[in-house]
């Protein structure tokens, strides 16, 4: 990113290749919408270019990137707070066919669908901390920098979010 900041914009393609999947995963789990998440990823990379002068290199690039992603997501939510939310059903389509492997696959998909539904029912703050820690596999220290809080506070939030997720998932 420091090279991009210094004017070598070709390096942005390398950053995109390295990080677009992780960003998409974060944004998809936060929104539940494939198309919106793809658009938001593009907006994050646009903002990286626009605000490249703000990257100092003192912290990790991922921390800065997720900070931008959170801002893009907040703007998206603000603009679309009255819009209906449509979740992709493609991820919940049952496989046709017989046999044990098809049954196991259907059961696994149903459990995954239940987990995603439970995640969507969490507060945005709890969903975000779980996605960053469990799906994006960020360390608590890095999450603390992204959320501008302490590592201890992140541990408490993850613990509470996991308890809430368990309650919501069991009810489903």
């Amino acid at each position: 990113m420091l090279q991009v900041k210094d004017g070598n914009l070709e390096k942005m393609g390398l950053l995109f290749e390295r990080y677009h999947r992780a960003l998409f995963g974060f944004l998809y789990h936060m929104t539940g919408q494939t198309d919106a998440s793809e658009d938001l990823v593009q907006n994050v990379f646009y903002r990286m270019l626009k605000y490249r002068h703000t990257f100092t290199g003192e912290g990790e690039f991922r921390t800065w990137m997720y900070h931008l992603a959170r801002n893009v997501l907040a703007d998206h939510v603000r603009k679309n707070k009255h819009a209906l939310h449509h979740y992709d059903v493609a991820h919940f389509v049952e496989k046709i066919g017989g046999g044990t492997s098809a049954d196991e696959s259907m059961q696994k998909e149903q459990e995954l669908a239940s987990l995603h539904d439970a995640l969507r029912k969490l507060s945005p703050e709890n969903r975000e901390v779980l996605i960053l820690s469990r799906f994006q596999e960020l360390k608590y220290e890095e999450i603390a920098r992204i959320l501008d809080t302490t590592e201890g506070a992140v541990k408490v939030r993850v613990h509470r979010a996991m308890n809430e997720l368990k309650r919501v998932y069991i009810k489903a």
Side-chain angles (χ1 to χ4, degrees), residues 22-23 25-27 29-30 62-70 73 119 122 124-149 154 157-158 161-162:
L23 269 178
F26 169 70
L27 294 165
H29 287 297
M30 290 300 292
R62 284 192 329 171
T63 303
W64 183 73
M65 176 186 73
Y66 279 110
H67 183 74
L68 289 176
R70 291 180 76 229
L73 182 61
L119 264 173
L122 297 179
E125 295 81 15
N126 283 345
R127 185 171 53 244
E128 179 180 48
V129 76
L130 285 180
I131 290 168
L132 290 172
S133 65
R134 300 299 191 251
F135 291 92
Q136 301 300 314
E137 299 177 351
L138 298 180
K139 295 178 182 172
Y140 291 152
E141 178 185 345
E142 193 169 2
I143 297 169
R145 286 194 305 269
I146 292 168
L147 302 179
D148 194 28
T149 189
V154 169
R157 286 178 62 182
V158 168
M162 285 298 291

Side-chain angles (χ1 to χ4, degrees), residues 29-42:
H29 287 297
M30 290 300 292
T31 65
Q33 301 170 7
T34 300
D35 291 340
S37 299
E38 289 172 352
D39 291 343
L40 293 173
V41 167
Q42 296 299 322

